[in-house]
Amino acid sequence: MNKINGLICAPFTAFDKNGELNLDVIPRYAQTLANNGIEGVFINGSSGEGQMLTEEERMIAAQAWCKAAPAGFKVIVHVGGNSVKASKLLAAHAAKAGAYATSVMGPTFPKINRIQELADYCAEIASGAPELPFYYYHIPAFTGINLSMLELLKAVDGRIPNFAGIKYTFESLFEYSLCHRYQGGKFDILHGQDETLLASLAMGGAQGCIGGTFNYAAGLYVKIRDAYAKGDMVLAQQLQQKSWDLIEVICRYRGNIVAGKQIMRLLGLDLGPNRTPFQNMTDAEFAKMSEELSAIHFADFAIKLA
């Protein structure tokens, strides 16, 4: 299968003031990301509050993103959940909608504790859209599933024909590298931690990266990749440190899913509130966060809206 070489953004799901899907902003959102160097999107995942959407909403969002995607813009649809049957239906719908690939994070109930269980889970859902590449989304902080991803690759190799690779959102660059090197680089191991993007390039051999802060700072990460490719490690490190400054700010305001969504509003693209149980930012918090972003000169590397 073809491997992704570039940045994939994990966009937020837009809601209106009543908490319903706001599809009207998606064409501008997609074009903005494309204009800022993003190769595609990973929708209905953690940044997109996918597990808090109904199955119908997830299908509606997938349809809208696929329709709005500029030419060559990849739409990866997260279809995971506790119901394998529902996930297979979502995968089949994604294929019909024109998605590039599907992906699943492991279920939260029951918690999977064995590689074979995880391989079975992936195999059944991947079969819902056998014509599309399938990625497992490794994010132990959300799922509590902290199994060896190298062992997962061994378990699915030759068993799941459309298994493309892993969206790897975890701290172990060592394991990431082992997965990347498995069978001479057979699978596409997409790096999923924005704060260690440079390290993944330098140590892990990363090509494709998926991130949430790409929503509002895409150009910063494009420049990190470019500086690394040119061998300018000093510049690459300086740029990565700017991303650390940004991430430190959003971590003080409940992280990317909450704070990041409101940064988009700050830039002029109102994506609405987060769904319960996320605690939305107060006006005072928004004002204070805006001050902190100004202090790190966020405007110098913020995305420009289409």
mmCIF file with all atom_site columns, all heavy atoms in Angstrom, residues 44 50 75 78 100 157-158 236 247 254 262 285:
data_model
loop_
_atom_site.group_PDB
_atom_site.id
_atom_site.type_symbol
_atom_site.label_atom_id
_atom_site.label_alt_id
_atom_site.label_comp_id
_atom_site.label_asym_id
_atom_site.label_entity_id
_atom_site.label_seq_id
_atom_site.pdbx_PDB_ins_code
_atom_site.Cartn_x
_atom_site.Cartn_y
_atom_site.Cartn_z
_atom_site.occupancy
_atom_site.B_iso_or_equiv
_atom_site.pdbx_formal_charge
_atom_site.auth_seq_id
_atom_site.auth_comp_id
_atom_site.auth_asym_id
_atom_site.auth_atom_id
_atom_site.pdbx_PDB_model_num
ATOM 1  N N   . ASN A 1 44  ? -13.451 12.325  13.248 1.00 0.00 ? 44  ASN A N   1
ATOM 2  C CA  . ASN A 1 44  ? -14.231 11.544  14.224 1.00 0.00 ? 44  ASN A CA  1
ATOM 3  C C   . ASN A 1 44  ? -13.341 10.772  15.199 1.00 0.00 ? 44  ASN A C   1
ATOM 4  O O   . ASN A 1 44  ? -13.740 9.748   15.736 1.00 0.00 ? 44  ASN A O   1
ATOM 5  C CB  . ASN A 1 44  ? -15.187 10.569  13.522 1.00 0.00 ? 44  ASN A CB  1
ATOM 6  C CG  . ASN A 1 44  ? -16.261 11.274  12.725 1.00 0.00 ? 44  ASN A CG  1
ATOM 7  O OD1 . ASN A 1 44  ? -16.453 12.477  12.859 1.00 0.00 ? 44  ASN A OD1 1
ATOM 8  N ND2 . ASN A 1 44  ? -16.957 10.542  11.868 1.00 0.00 ? 44  ASN A ND2 1
ATOM 9  N N   . GLY A 1 50  ? -15.259 12.041  18.524 1.00 0.00 ? 50  GLY A N   1
ATOM 10 C CA  . GLY A 1 50  ? -15.988 11.040  17.764 1.00 0.00 ? 50  GLY A CA  1
ATOM 11 C C   . GLY A 1 50  ? -16.814 10.076  18.585 1.00 0.00 ? 50  GLY A C   1
ATOM 12 O O   . GLY A 1 50  ? -17.909 9.679   18.176 1.00 0.00 ? 50  GLY A O   1
ATOM 13 N N   . VAL A 1 75  ? -9.042  11.733  3.414  1.00 0.00 ? 75  VAL A N   1
ATOM 14 C CA  . VAL A 1 75  ? -9.961  11.717  4.553  1.00 0.00 ? 75  VAL A CA  1
ATOM 15 C C   . VAL A 1 75  ? -9.912  10.321  5.186  1.00 0.00 ? 75  VAL A C   1
ATOM 16 O O   . VAL A 1 75  ? -10.371 9.349   4.590  1.00 0.00 ? 75  VAL A O   1
ATOM 17 C CB  . VAL A 1 75  ? -11.407 12.056  4.139  1.00 0.00 ? 75  VAL A CB  1
ATOM 18 C CG1 . VAL A 1 75  ? -12.336 11.994  5.359  1.00 0.00 ? 75  VAL A CG1 1
ATOM 19 C CG2 . VAL A 1 75  ? -11.471 13.440  3.499  1.00 0.00 ? 75  VAL A CG2 1
ATOM 20 N N   . HIS A 1 78  ? -12.243 7.695   11.448 1.00 0.00 ? 78  HIS A N   1
ATOM 21 C CA  . HIS A 1 78  ? -12.206 6.827   12.617 1.00 0.00 ? 78  HIS A CA  1
ATOM 22 C C   . HIS A 1 78  ? -13.588 6.212   12.820 1.00 0.00 ? 78  HIS A C   1
ATOM 23 O O   . HIS A 1 78  ? -14.589 6.932   12.907 1.00 0.00 ? 78  HIS A O   1
ATOM 24 C CB  . HIS A 1 78  ? -11.800 7.595   13.873 1.00 0.00 ? 78  HIS A CB  1
ATOM 25 C CG  . HIS A 1 78  ? -11.882 6.763   15.114 1.00 0.00 ? 78  HIS A CG  1
ATOM 26 N ND1 . HIS A 1 78  ? -12.906 6.877   16.015 1.00 0.00 ? 78  HIS A ND1 1
ATOM 27 C CD2 . HIS A 1 78  ? -11.092 5.760   15.561 1.00 0.00 ? 78  HIS A CD2 1
ATOM 28 C CE1 . HIS A 1 78  ? -12.743 5.991   16.990 1.00 0.00 ? 78  HIS A CE1 1
ATOM 29 N NE2 . HIS A 1 78  ? -11.636 5.306   16.730 1.00 0.00 ? 78  HIS A NE2 1
ATOM 30 N N   . TYR A 1 100 ? -10.465 7.923   2.210  1.00 0.00 ? 100 TYR A N   1
ATOM 31 C CA  . TYR A 1 100 ? -9.170  7.354   1.822  1.00 0.00 ? 100 TYR A CA  1
ATOM 32 C C   . TYR A 1 100 ? -8.881  6.090   2.623  1.00 0.00 ? 100 TYR A C   1
ATOM 33 O O   . TYR A 1 100 ? -8.321  5.124   2.102  1.00 0.00 ? 100 TYR A O   1
ATOM 34 C CB  . TYR A 1 100 ? -8.065  8.388   2.060  1.00 0.00 ? 100 TYR A CB  1
ATOM 35 C CG  . TYR A 1 100 ? -6.670  7.828   1.900  1.00 0.00 ? 100 TYR A CG  1
ATOM 36 C CD1 . TYR A 1 100 ? -6.112  7.660   0.636  1.00 0.00 ? 100 TYR A CD1 1
ATOM 37 C CD2 . TYR A 1 100 ? -5.906  7.453   3.011  1.00 0.00 ? 100 TYR A CD2 1
ATOM 38 C CE1 . TYR A 1 100 ? -4.835  7.146   0.482  1.00 0.00 ? 100 TYR A CE1 1
ATOM 39 C CE2 . TYR A 1 100 ? -4.633  6.935   2.862  1.00 0.00 ? 100 TYR A CE2 1
ATOM 40 C CZ  . TYR A 1 100 ? -4.100  6.781   1.599  1.00 0.00 ? 100 TYR A CZ  1
ATOM 41 O OH  . TYR A 1 100 ? -2.843  6.259   1.439  1.00 0.00 ? 100 TYR A OH  1
ATOM 42 N N   . ASP A 1 157 ? -0.085  -9.380  10.334 1.00 0.00 ? 157 ASP A N   1
ATOM 43 C CA  . ASP A 1 157 ? 0.676   -9.531  9.095  1.00 0.00 ? 157 ASP A CA  1
ATOM 44 C C   . ASP A 1 157 ? 0.252   -10.818 8.383  1.00 0.00 ? 157 ASP A C   1
ATOM 45 O O   . ASP A 1 157 ? 0.377   -11.915 8.925  1.00 0.00 ? 157 ASP A O   1
ATOM 46 C CB  . ASP A 1 157 ? 2.172   -9.572  9.412  1.00 0.00 ? 157 ASP A CB  1
ATOM 47 C CG  . ASP A 1 157 ? 3.028   -9.420  8.166  1.00 0.00 ? 157 ASP A CG  1
ATOM 48 O OD1 . ASP A 1 157 ? 2.475   -9.297  7.065  1.00 0.00 ? 157 ASP A OD1 1
ATOM 49 O OD2 . ASP A 1 157 ? 4.266   -9.423  8.315  1.00 0.00 ? 157 ASP A OD2 1
ATOM 50 N N   . GLY A 1 158 ? -0.283  -10.664 7.183  1.00 0.00 ? 158 GLY A N   1
ATOM 51 C CA  . GLY A 1 158 ? -0.755  -11.811 6.423  1.00 0.00 ? 158 GLY A CA  1
ATOM 52 C C   . GLY A 1 158 ? -2.163  -12.234 6.751  1.00 0.00 ? 158 GLY A C   1
ATOM 53 O O   . GLY A 1 158 ? -2.740  -13.083 6.054  1.00 0.00 ? 158 GLY A O   1
ATOM 54 N N   . ALA A 1 236 ? 15.257  23.385  13.117 1.00 0.00 ? 236 ALA A N   1
ATOM 55 C CA  . ALA A 1 236 ? 14.209  22.413  13.433 1.00 0.00 ? 236 ALA A CA  1
ATOM 56 C C   . ALA A 1 236 ? 13.951  22.357  14.932 1.00 0.00 ? 236 ALA A C   1
ATOM 57 O O   . ALA A 1 236 ? 12.795  22.296  15.381 1.00 0.00 ? 236 ALA A O   1
ATOM 58 C CB  . ALA A 1 236 ? 14.608  21.034  12.907 1.00 0.00 ? 236 ALA A CB  1
ATOM 59 N N   . ILE A 1 247 ? 1.997   24.115  23.231 1.00 0.00 ? 247 ILE A N   1
ATOM 60 C CA  . ILE A 1 247 ? 1.370   22.992  23.929 1.00 0.00 ? 247 ILE A CA  1
ATOM 61 C C   . ILE A 1 247 ? 1.306   23.244  25.430 1.00 0.00 ? 247 ILE A C   1
ATOM 62 O O   . ILE A 1 247 ? 0.332   22.867  26.097 1.00 0.00 ? 247 ILE A O   1
ATOM 63 C CB  . ILE A 1 247 ? 2.113   21.684  23.594 1.00 0.00 ? 247 ILE A CB  1
ATOM 64 C CG1 . ILE A 1 247 ? 1.859   21.316  22.121 1.00 0.00 ? 247 ILE A CG1 1
ATOM 65 C CG2 . ILE A 1 247 ? 1.674   20.537  24.502 1.00 0.00 ? 247 ILE A CG2 1
ATOM 66 C CD1 . ILE A 1 247 ? 2.756   20.231  21.577 1.00 0.00 ? 247 ILE A CD1 1
ATOM 67 N N   . ARG A 1 254 ? -7.066  22.713  29.694 1.00 0.00 ? 254 ARG A N   1
ATOM 68 C CA  . ARG A 1 254 ? -7.713  21.423  29.458 1.00 0.00 ? 254 ARG A CA  1
ATOM 69 C C   . ARG A 1 254 ? -7.380  20.801  28.102 1.00 0.00 ? 254 ARG A C   1
ATOM 70 O O   . ARG A 1 254 ? -8.139  20.001  27.570 1.00 0.00 ? 254 ARG A O   1
ATOM 71 C CB  . ARG A 1 254 ? -9.227  21.535  29.675 1.00 0.00 ? 254 ARG A CB  1
ATOM 72 C CG  . ARG A 1 254 ? -9.581  21.809  31.137 1.00 0.00 ? 254 ARG A CG  1
ATOM 73 C CD  . ARG A 1 254 ? -11.059 21.829  31.386 1.00 0.00 ? 254 ARG A CD  1
ATOM 74 N NE  . ARG A 1 254 ? -11.731 22.994  30.867 1.00 0.00 ? 254 ARG A NE  1
ATOM 75 C CZ  . ARG A 1 254 ? -11.700 24.200  31.419 1.00 0.00 ? 254 ARG A CZ  1
ATOM 76 N NH1 . ARG A 1 254 ? -10.984 24.427  32.504 1.00 0.00 ? 254 ARG A NH1 1
ATOM 77 N NH2 . ARG A 1 254 ? -12.365 25.200  30.887 1.00 0.00 ? 254 ARG A NH2 1
ATOM 78 N N   . GLN A 1 262 ? -11.090 26.323  20.825 1.00 0.00 ? 262 GLN A N   1
ATOM 79 C CA  . GLN A 1 262 ? -11.342 27.746  21.012 1.00 0.00 ? 262 GLN A CA  1
ATOM 80 C C   . GLN A 1 262 ? -10.263 28.615  20.381 1.00 0.00 ? 262 GLN A C   1
ATOM 81 O O   . GLN A 1 262 ? -10.507 29.780  20.074 1.00 0.00 ? 262 GLN A O   1
ATOM 82 C CB  . GLN A 1 262 ? -11.510 28.061  22.499 1.00 0.00 ? 262 GLN A CB  1
ATOM 83 C CG  . GLN A 1 262 ? -12.703 27.360  23.138 1.00 0.00 ? 262 GLN A CG  1
ATOM 84 C CD  . GLN A 1 262 ? -13.973 27.500  22.304 1.00 0.00 ? 262 GLN A CD  1
ATOM 85 O OE1 . GLN A 1 262 ? -14.362 28.614  21.914 1.00 0.00 ? 262 GLN A OE1 1
ATOM 86 N NE2 . GLN A 1 262 ? -14.631 26.383  22.004 1.00 0.00 ? 262 GLN A NE2 1
ATOM 87 N N   . GLU A 1 285 ? -11.303 32.544  31.005 1.00 0.00 ? 285 GLU A N   1
ATOM 88 C CA  . GLU A 1 285 ? -10.233 31.635  30.595 1.00 0.00 ? 285 GLU A CA  1
ATOM 89 C C   . GLU A 1 285 ? -9.815  31.898  29.154 1.00 0.00 ? 285 GLU A C   1
ATOM 90 O O   . GLU A 1 285 ? -8.620  31.877  28.823 1.00 0.00 ? 285 GLU A O   1
ATOM 91 C CB  . GLU A 1 285 ? -10.691 30.183  30.749 1.00 0.00 ? 285 GLU A CB  1
ATOM 92 C CG  . GLU A 1 285 ? -10.765 29.696  32.179 1.00 0.00 ? 285 GLU A CG  1
ATOM 93 C CD  . GLU A 1 285 ? -11.329 28.291  32.279 1.00 0.00 ? 285 GLU A CD  1
ATOM 94 O OE1 . GLU A 1 285 ? -12.266 27.966  31.520 1.00 0.00 ? 285 GLU A OE1 1
ATOM 95 O OE2 . GLU A 1 285 ? -10.837 27.512  33.122 1.00 0.00 ? 285 GLU A OE2 1
#
